[in-house]
């Protein structure tokens, strides 16, 4: 059986926003691009994120474009559409099949970073997170 590969991050705890919630996009951005949480927090705010309220749809992708030059990284989008008669890609299956590289996965109501097949997210990462469908994965690559 494949173990659930979780690396709990404390990136928020060392920031100036340690009690922030609904910030999965901020955490995923900071971890995937290798920038401090506070920098990712401020960047998402520039593109419409409201503290404690989450990140509006498509805000993250607009913000990531601004990181292209600064971090010397590009984003490649991979979609996982539903196929009749087949199971959807879930987080656990994604980790098994993408054991190399850095990705930001988009599920229903959540984003998480997967680095070399391990989910990097804040605790608790509930059991049902592993069964969530991965709709899109954004691969972070050097330029």
């Amino acid at each position: 059986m494949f173990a659930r590969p979780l690396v709990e991050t404390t990136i928020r705890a060392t920031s100036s926003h340690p009690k922030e919630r609904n910030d999965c996009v901020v955490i995923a951005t900071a971890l995937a691009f290798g920038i401090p949480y506070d920098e990712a927090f401020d960047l998402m705010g520039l593109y419409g994120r409201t503290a404690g309220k989450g990140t509006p749809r498509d805000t993250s992708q607009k913000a990531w474009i601004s990181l292209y030059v600064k971090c010397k990284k590009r984003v490649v989008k991979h979609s996982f559409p539903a196929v009749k008669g087949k199971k959807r890609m879930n987080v656990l299956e994604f980790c098994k099949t993408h054991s190399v590289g850095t990705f930001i996965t988009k599920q229903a109501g959540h984003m998480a970073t997967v680095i070399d097949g391990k989910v990097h997210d804040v605790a608790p990462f509930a059991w049902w997170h592993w069964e969530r469908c991965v709709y899109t994965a954004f691969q972070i690559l050097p330029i």
Side-chain angles (χ1 to χ4, degrees):
M1 177 169 176
F2 187 74
R4 294 179 176 164
L6 175 65
V7 177
E8 293 179 12
T9 182
T10 57
I11 193 167
R12 184 195 311 128
T14 58
S15 76
S16 58
H17 307 281
K19 296 185 181 190
E20 182 67 21
R21 295 294 177 257
N22 296 319
D23 61 344
C24 61
V25 175
V26 176
I27 292 169
T29 300
L31 292 172
F33 285 91
I35 61 175
Y37 177 94
D38 288 331
E39 186 176 334
F41 182 91
D42 293 342
L43 178 66
M44 290 301 160
L46 291 174
Y47 288 90
R49 182 181 186 279
T50 304
K53 304 267 187 203
T55 306
R57 176 174 270 168
D58 298 327
T59 298
S60 54
Q61 293 175 62
K62 291 174 188 171
W64 295 339
I65 291 169
S66 71
L67 293 172
Y68 177 82
V69 174
K70 181 188 182 304
C71 296
K72 295 183 174 51
K73 294 183 181 180
R74 62 190 174 101
V75 178
V76 177
K77 181 179 179 179
H78 302 276
S79 296
F80 299 97
V83 177
K84 188 175 181 177
K86 291 190 174 187
K87 284 185 72 174
R88 299 275 320 237
M89 173 70 76
N90 64 29
V91 176
L92 191 57
E93 188 62 29
F94 185 87
C95 289
K96 288 180 192 176
T97 58
H98 296 82
S99 60
V100 176
T102 300
F103 300 85
I104 297 175
T105 59
K106 181 178 180 184
Q107 303 103 45
H110 190 62
M111 282 188 161
T113 305
V114 175
I115 301 172
D116 295 334
K118 293 182 176 74
V119 174
H120 292 249
D121 207 350
V122 294
F125 196 77
W127 66 268
W128 50 267
H129 280 119
W130 298 103
E131 296 302 320
R132 278 187 169 165
C133 296
V134 174
Y135 299 121
T136 309
F138 301 94
Q139 187 174 16
I140 314 302
L141 296 166
I143 295 177

